[in-house]
Amino acid sequence: MTFNPQSSESSMLTSRETLLSTLETLPDALFVVDDATTIVYANASAQTMLGTTQEALVGNSFWCLAPHLVSTALYQAVLKARQTQKLTDVEYRSPVTQTWFHAQISPTGVGLAVLFQENTEPTQCQDALRQSEQRYRDLLEHSAERVAMLTPEGLILEISQRPLTDAQVQLEEVLGKPLTAVSWWSSVPHAQRQLGAAIEQARQGVTVRFEARVCPHPGRYLDLAVTLTPHCAANQQVEYLLCTGFDITQYKHVEEELRTVLDTMPQFVWVRRPDGSIAYYNRRKLDYAHMMAEQCTEDEWLQHLPPADRQCIQGMWQGMWHTALRTDITHDEAASLQFVHPEDRERVLALQCQAFETGEPYEFEYRLRERQPGTYRWFLARGVPLRNEEGQIVQWFGTCTDIQRQKQTEDALRQSQERVNHLMSSSVIGIFFAEGDVVVKGNNTFLRMTGYNQDELCQRCINWSDFTLPASKPSLFQRAHQELVVQQDTTPFEAELMCKDGSRLDVLMGGVAFHGEVLQGIGFVLDNSARKELEQRKDHFLGMVSHELKTPLTSLKLQTQLLRKQLGKQGIYNADTVLSRMEAQLNMVTRLVGELLDLSKIQAGTLEYAQETVNLDDVLQEVVEIVQQMQTTHTIVVHRAASPPLLVGDKDRLEQMVLNLISNAIKYSPGANTIEVDSKASEEAVTLSVHDQGIGIPQEQREKIFERFYRAVAPHQRAFPGLGMGLYIVAEIVKYHGGSITMESEMGKGSTFQVTLPLKRT
């Protein structure tokens, strides 16, 4: 038999047409796909099933054009048939139409032939399979997470309902399509690139985890923690990928809020990975690093590092980290060392490396460079590890707090403590500490003054009452205690203390208090005995001198008066004027001597007072007449009380009081010509006011004018005579009579002294 090529070709065409005609008449859908699962042929039933034409199907991916046929079970059957080159059967339910299919996959010369039959009458075994399939579908549809089954190329085989709801799309719109092409990934290019790179890694058999922000539909964003897990067959070939996405949007919001809070903190805040490399810096740290980077070049700080560290850092920058001499220093640590004080760098690096090796928290102080080169500030660095449930370190969290002021305060406190120690060791001032009425501590000077010792202090057996004399004025210590309670300090005052051996010690005391559960105080004691003895000697001397001067002055005054009268009888009137002036000067000297004598008696406590009923108006009239005769430069204007004020006292001392006030008013108002004296009486007291229009008294001197020997005049005003005793004596006389004295003054406009005395009760 002779072979005819033309006849053979014609026969083959006829056979092909017959085969195609036969396939077209099949009631079941038939697809022929190549090794890339691209459709080569689809019969009429397949076209009808998909609702499209042959031309639209051929040349396109089966998985993309047949979404309601796509499932993981079908995909695995296709893989099995391709690998074994044997007929493979699979029964599954369409996730789109919920229709059960029975698929037969047969190897062909061009790839695979896939025949689909609808299966509506399952066997008992098939029924169990369908129930299992139903539970699987229910699990996907009601899963709270976002789960998808992908081909190694990233095509969607199955997907849970949650991501479809997020994107507001139907299942058939995404099945068989690349996950990277669906809207929630494709609308965010950065996330799409992340997913594409992850799929490439996962198809190599590597589990990939990453975080991404996707956009399911316009106006809504989700933060997902994505895991791509490859599923491998027995031959270690990846069959499919399991993609899970956990919604971490709320966590991310909290994280962003936390980062916002961290960015507003004045501390440097950082997060390190387990290997010590930096994962996060807050804004304060970034601003500091940026500021310092603008001022410091590489050469400027590298030269301060040890040669080994310098070579290590340079090796990192050149991409030769593995050749560096030290492998326990990270790039971030090396870059930060440039701003650390040269004396602290080695210590800082050693402590950090030790912490990362042991996994123990650390805390240390060090100095960081400021904007101006050569200046540094102190910082406190803290670092703690964060561990997972297995105890492994997943992160390090740390802060750097500016403690420059704290260090300055510590230095100041240390210096203050040193000064306190020097003060406590003083051999001049006695210092003691008290809690309530118990003296708990004292320096050696205080103990030496009082005769006690440290053992008695430690036993807390020394009370404040032990120092108080039985005859002491209680009001003095009560007033000091009241000042401590109210204003936490007391005005220094003179007192007499009882020592341990019963002797008495004149002291000058002061103190400060601290309020708490128990009133605590610090007392200062200065031995005043030497000064008191000196004052007593001075007062005794003044008294003696005054007494010795008074006798010849009195005799001289009488002789001058007698001489003036005799010369007047002889008609020598010029001598009368001269002698009158002499008598006035003698009166002034006599008055000064009298005041000195009174002063010494006041200090000695021997000034005597008479007790009689005194009409203050009569006293006022007598004094004004005397002064007016002696002082013709000023007119004394008197405003008397409506009724004569009567009081019990010493008439001579009251005259002395009024005389001193009026004399002072005249003396300190040289430019005026009037002195006003007012007397007002009530049922309880009489008030006497003396007003001048003189130079006035400065504000800072008004509290001292009633002290002895104090004169409220400036150095250029020394022309005003006096020894500063008049107002002191006035105050003592007023005090004895149970009254009070006040003063108001205005510079350049004059002063007013007001005395209030209690009246005689009838």
Side-chain angles (χ1 to χ4, degrees), residues 604-674:
T606 60
L607 185 64
E608 297 180 354
Y609 291 89
Q611 293 293 318
E612 57 184 324
T613 300
V614 180
N615 186 327
L616 195 61
D617 276 355
D618 293 344
V619 171
L620 182 60
Q621 183 176 353
E622 292 177 10
V623 172
V624 169
E625 288 178 355
I626 294 174
V627 175
Q628 196 68 79
Q629 292 176 3
M630 298 173 58
Q631 301 288 346
T632 59
T633 57
H634 293 71
T635 300
I636 303 173
V637 180
V638 180
H639 304 283
R640 291 184 175 86
S643 59
L646 301 177
L647 58 115
V648 176
D650 189 316
K651 180 182 178 182
D652 292 338
R653 294 302 177 190
L654 292 173
E655 286 180 353
Q656 184 180 7
M657 174 194 75
V658 176
L659 178 61
N660 283 358
L661 290 175
I662 295 177
S663 299
N664 262 16
I666 293 173
K667 179 171 37 174
Y668 290 105
S669 56
N673 52 20
T674 301

Side-chain angles (χ1 to χ4, degrees), residues 695-696 698 701 711-720 747:
I695 62 175
Q701 297 181 359
R711 301 187 63 219
V713 293
H716 64 278
Q717 296 174 326
R718 292 303 182 187
F720 297 104
M747 293 299 296

Side-chain angles (χ1 to χ4, degrees), residues 233-268:
N235 60 1
Q236 300 302 314
Q237 293 294 319
V238 176
E239 290 188 337
Y240 59 87
L241 307 177
L242 180 63
C243 179
T244 57
F246 295 90
D247 186 353
I248 58 172
T249 305
Q250 185 175 2
Y251 165 77
K252 281 296 183 179
H253 286 169
V254 173
E255 186 180 78
E256 289 177 1
E257 291 176 358
L258 178 60
R259 286 176 182 264
T260 301
V261 172
L262 294 178
D263 283 343
T264 61
M265 291 178 63
Q267 290 90 354
F268 298 158

